[in-house]
């Protein structure tokens, strides 16, 4: 039976919180997103509490390349021996430490300022091990789930849909104010709306967003 642990970590500069999700099936674990590096002790404590140890963390799956989701990726691969997977369209964010890589928007000032304020040095950069795309099967890593391509927040944004109807949606959707809604950072509004429409026919039960509390899919009321 699949068990989901929500790991909520504070973001720097009072920017709120970000969620990581530890999905367990027997002795197999898959971690979805990794938080900021400044919260590494809290993340590791949560992994230890779940008895997730080096050797049984089968995969670190990154829903997209932003710093608050990739900050501990390199460290976890080194310590836990896990593989890193993400959509190839966002690989450059992790490889170059550039959250604006392959995005349509983002003013030049923020492009210069963000890495200096938040910090994503060379020790946090790496090349992912696995490129995932629509339909990629996660059963070889111990969980019955597949990848959904959900662009809009970034070109390489993805979701994870389990056989039980649980969706991990990254920053496509959020629930930080008690009302589920579209993610607040939009790179491509048209593709984001298409991604949301795609979800409506998939029999999703519970949504686990990158920011905010999990919610039932029926609570999402978004019109074109």
């Amino acid at each position: 039976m699949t068990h989901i642990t929500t790991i909520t970590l504070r973001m720097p500069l009072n920017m709120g919180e970000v969620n990581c999700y530890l999905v367990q099936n027997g002795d197999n674990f898959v971690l979805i997103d990794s938080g900021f590096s400044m919260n590494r002790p809290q993340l590791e404590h949560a992994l230890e509490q779940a008895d997730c140890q080096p050797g049984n963390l089968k995969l670190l799956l990154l829903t997209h390349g932003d710093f608050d989701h990739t900050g501990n990726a390199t460290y976890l691969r080194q310590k836990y021996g896990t593989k890193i997977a993400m959509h190839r369209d966002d690989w450059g964010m992790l490889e170059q430490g550039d959250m604006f890589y392959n995005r349509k928007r983002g003013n030049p000032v923020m492009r210069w300022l963000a890495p200096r304020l938040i910090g994503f040095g060379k020790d946090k950069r790496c090349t992912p091990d696995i490129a995932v795309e629509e339909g990629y099967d996660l059963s070889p890593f111990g969980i019955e789930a597949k990848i959904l391509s959900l662009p809009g927040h970034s070109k390489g944004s993805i979701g994870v849909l389990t056989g039980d109807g649980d969706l991990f949606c990254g920053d496509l959707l959020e629930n930080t104010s008690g009302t589920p809604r579209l993610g607040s950072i939009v790179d491509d509004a048209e593709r984001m709306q298409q991604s949301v429409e795609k979800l409506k026919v998939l029999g999703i039960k519970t949504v686990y967003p990158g920011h905010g509390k999990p919610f039932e899919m029926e609570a999402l009321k978004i019109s074109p």
Side-chain angles (χ1 to χ4, degrees), residues 173-174 179-182 196 199-200 207 215-222:
L173 303 168
E174 61 184 44
T179 301
R181 60 180 187 270
L182 281 175
V196 172
L199 301 182
K200 294 180 179 180
V207 179
F215 58 92
E216 297 306 304
M217 183 64 181
E218 62 186 19
L220 182 66
K221 309 295 183 184
I222 297 178

Side-chain angles (χ1 to χ4, degrees), residues 43-61:
L43 176 61
E44 285 199 276
H45 178 71
L47 296 181
E48 291 169 2
Q49 288 293 105
D51 199 29
C52 180
Q53 306 290 335
N56 64 3
L57 181 57
K58 302 302 181 181
L59 188 69
L60 170 59
L61 185 61

Side-chain angles (χ1 to χ4, degrees), residues 35-219:
F36 266 110
S37 58
M38 63 176 286
N39 293 118
R40 186 171 297 159
Q42 294 94 321
L43 176 61
E44 285 199 276
H45 178 71
L47 296 181
E48 291 169 2
Q49 288 293 105
D51 199 29
C52 180
Q53 306 290 335
N56 64 3
L57 181 57
K58 302 302 181 181
L59 188 69
L60 170 59
L61 185 61
L62 302 174
T63 59
H64 60 288
D66 285 341
F67 298 164
D68 54 329
H69 295 257
T70 64
N72 291 300
T74 299
Y75 174 81
L76 290 173
R77 181 165 68 179
Q78 292 171 345
K79 178 172 180 177
Y80 288 81
T82 189
K83 300 290 186 181
I84 299 172
M86 67 189 303
H87 195 284
R88 193 175 293 277
D89 282 347
D90 276 15
W91 272 32
M93 297 185 192
L94 184 57
E95 289 179 320
Q96 301 173 25
D98 178 9
M99 60 186 282
F100 297 101
Y101 170 87
N102 210 17
R103 276 187 158 127
K104 295 169 64 175
R105 304 181 182 181
N107 67 62
V109 174
M110 280 305 299
R111 284 179 179 269
W112 182 88
L113 196 59
R116 290 162 176 80
L117 286 177
I118 299 171
F120 201 80
K122 292 183 179 180
D123 62 318
K124 301 179 185 69
R125 304 175 195 175
C126 67
T127 298
D129 303 288
I130 301 169
V132 294
E133 55 188 19
E134 179 77 20
Y136 188 96
D137 182 14
L138 295 174
S139 59
F141 302 98
I143 64 170
E144 294 302 318
K146 65 179 181 180
I147 297 296
L148 300 177
S149 178
L150 299 174
H153 175 72
S154 69
K155 287 186 179 180
S157 286
I158 59 171
V160 182
L161 180 60
T162 73
D164 295 326
D166 297 314
L167 172 70
F168 303 89
C169 68
D171 284 4
L172 174 66
L173 303 168
E174 61 184 44
N175 186 27
T176 56
S177 62
T179 301
R181 60 180 187 270
L182 281 175
S184 55
I185 299 177
V186 181
D187 181 58
D188 188 321
E190 182 178 358
R191 296 192 76 186
M192 199 169 206
Q193 187 61 49
Q194 290 171 351
S195 293
V196 172
E197 290 299 313
K198 175 180 181 176
L199 301 182
K200 294 180 179 180
V201 298
L202 297 178
I204 296 164
K205 297 177 181 177
T206 305
V207 179
Y208 294 83
H211 302 274
K213 296 181 179 180
F215 58 92
E216 297 306 304
M217 183 64 181
E218 62 186 19

Side-chain angles (χ1 to χ4, degrees), residues 1-7 19-26 28-32 46 50 143-145 160-168 205-209 214:
M1 181 176 178
T2 300
H3 178 73
I4 300 168
T5 300
T6 302
I7 305 171
N19 296 324
C20 309
Y21 296 103
L22 186 63
V23 183
Q24 179 183 3
N25 184 13
N28 299 311
F29 293 86
V30 171
L31 181 64
I32 300 173
I143 64 170
E144 294 302 318
V160 182
L161 180 60
T162 73
D164 295 326
D166 297 314
L167 172 70
F168 303 89
K205 297 177 181 177
T206 305
V207 179
Y208 294 83

